[in-house]
């Protein structure tokens, strides 16, 4: 009988010990995933990106100003990465003022009457800032309402300072001033439309250090 008691006691202890071990293992397993997010918190510094605009007249490279217009920079990058701008055109060109593009309607030559009216199907909030509209500055086109920018953008050819704090400047040309010059001085017809199509073959977002 005492042997039986010892046996039962040993069995109970073994069971308890087994449960304790299993519980400890579970606790360790449960604790492990909680520790993982700490690694994610240490994010690498954001890679500086630029836009490479390939046109019929050559390539332009644009840098962004996320410090003054983060929403506009993100929107432009997102659309470019989706291929939204590929095959569009600079549909409005005014020498000494600016070149305007980014309208999806310009992909279709038969839709010329609606060029300048297209967008991505949504609008973004204005981020007016103190960056002056000087030659080469990248800014966002909009209609009468401040929060009506979508996909259409312009690059200043002259120095239209009257646009300061009225339109969201969000970057500037860092390469390809000669291409800006070619597009801005091309012959135009009524409506400031280039006679020769100023096509945007593609806009690619690439790391800044990949540009020679």
């Amino acid at each position: 009988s005492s042997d039986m008691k010892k046996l039962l006691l040993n069995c109970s202890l073994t069971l308890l010990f087994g449960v304790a071990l299993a519980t400890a293992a579970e606790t360790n397993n449960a604790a492990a995933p909680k520790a993982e997010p700490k690694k994610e918190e240490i994010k690498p510094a954001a890679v500086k990106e630029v836009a490479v605009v390939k046109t019929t007249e050559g390539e332009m490279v644009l840098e962004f100003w996320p410090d003054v217009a983060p929403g506009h920079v993100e929107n432009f990058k997102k659309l470019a990465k989706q291929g939204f701008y590929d095959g569009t055109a600079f549909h409005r060109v005014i020498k000494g003022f600016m070149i305007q593009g980014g309208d999806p309607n310009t992909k279709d030559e038969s839709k010329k009457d609606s060029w300048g009216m297209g967008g991505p199907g949504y609008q973004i909030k204005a981020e007016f800032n103190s960056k002056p509209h000087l030659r080469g500055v990248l800014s966002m086109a909009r209609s009468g309402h401040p929060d009506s920018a979508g996909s259409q953008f312009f690059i200043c050819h002259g120095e239209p300072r009257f646009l300061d704090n009225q339109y969201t400047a969000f970057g500037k040309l860092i390469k390809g001033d000669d291409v800006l010059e070619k597009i801005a001085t091309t012959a135009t017809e009524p409506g400031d439309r280039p006679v020769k199509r100023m096509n945007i073959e593609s806009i690619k977002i690439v790391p800044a250090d990949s540009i020679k």
Side-chain angles (χ1 to χ4, degrees):
S1 162
S2 67
D3 286 348
M4 194 71 172
K5 275 184 188 165
K6 273 184 195 166
L7 191 65
L8 280 170
L9 188 64
N10 283 344
C11 284
S12 300
L13 283 170
T14 308
L15 269 173
L16 277 171
F17 190 59
V19 168
L21 275 177
T23 309
E26 272 174 31
T27 308
N28 286 344
N29 286 345
K34 281 181 194 164
E36 278 172 20
K38 281 186 185 167
K39 286 180 199 164
E40 289 169 21
E41 281 163 28
I42 307 162
K43 286 182 181 165
V47 175
K48 190 184 172 192
E49 293 179 316
V50 295
V52 177
V53 185
K54 198 174 177 188
T55 77
T56 40
E57 307 306 301
E59 268 185 17
M60 293 184 283
V61 180
L62 300 161
E63 72 169 16
F64 298 112
W65 294 335
D67 53 326
V68 294
H72 281 67
V73 171
E74 275 318 300
N75 180 60
F76 187 91
K77 283 186 183 180
K78 180 189 79 174
L79 292 172
K81 285 173 181 174
Q82 288 171 358
F84 184 92
Y85 292 123
D86 302 357
T88 59
F90 286 104
H91 63 277
R92 188 170 171 237
V93 166
I94 303 173
K95 182 184 170 182
F97 179 27
M98 56 94 228
I99 63 171
Q100 184 173 333
D103 179 351
N105 294 349
T106 60
K107 290 180 184 182
D108 189 343
E109 283 282 332
S110 69
K111 281 188 182 171
K112 265 193 174 175
D113 289 344
S114 68
W115 285 13
M117 297 176 197
Y122 60 82
Q123 296 175 329
I124 59 174
K125 281 206 169 296
E127 291 174 306
F128 300 150
N129 56 69
S130 58
K131 292 275 193 185
H133 281 75
L134 304 173
R135 182 181 174 120
V137 165
L138 170 67
S139 192
M140 216 54 179
R142 62 172 179 84
S143 59
H145 193 281
D147 301 330
S148 59
S151 61
Q152 290 190 49
F153 63 90
F154 62 92
I155 302 168
C156 300
H157 180 234
E159 297 196 351
R161 298 295 306 276
F162 60 91
L163 301 179
D164 294 359
N165 297 301
Q166 310 285 321
Y167 290 78
T168 302
F170 67 103
K172 74 168 184 183
L173 189 70
I174 54 168
K175 201 175 175 192
D177 186 77
D178 56 327
V179 178
L180 168 63
E181 186 65 22
K182 281 182 203 166
I183 297 171
T185 56
T186 193
T188 55
E189 55 193 26
D192 305 311
R193 299 237 168 94
V195 175
K196 176 193 166 191
R197 182 176 173 87
M198 296 286 124
N199 199 53
I200 295 173
E201 284 157 34
S202 66
I203 298 183
K204 298 267 188 278
I205 305 299
V206 301
D209 59 16
S210 69
I211 300 296
K212 301 267 186 302

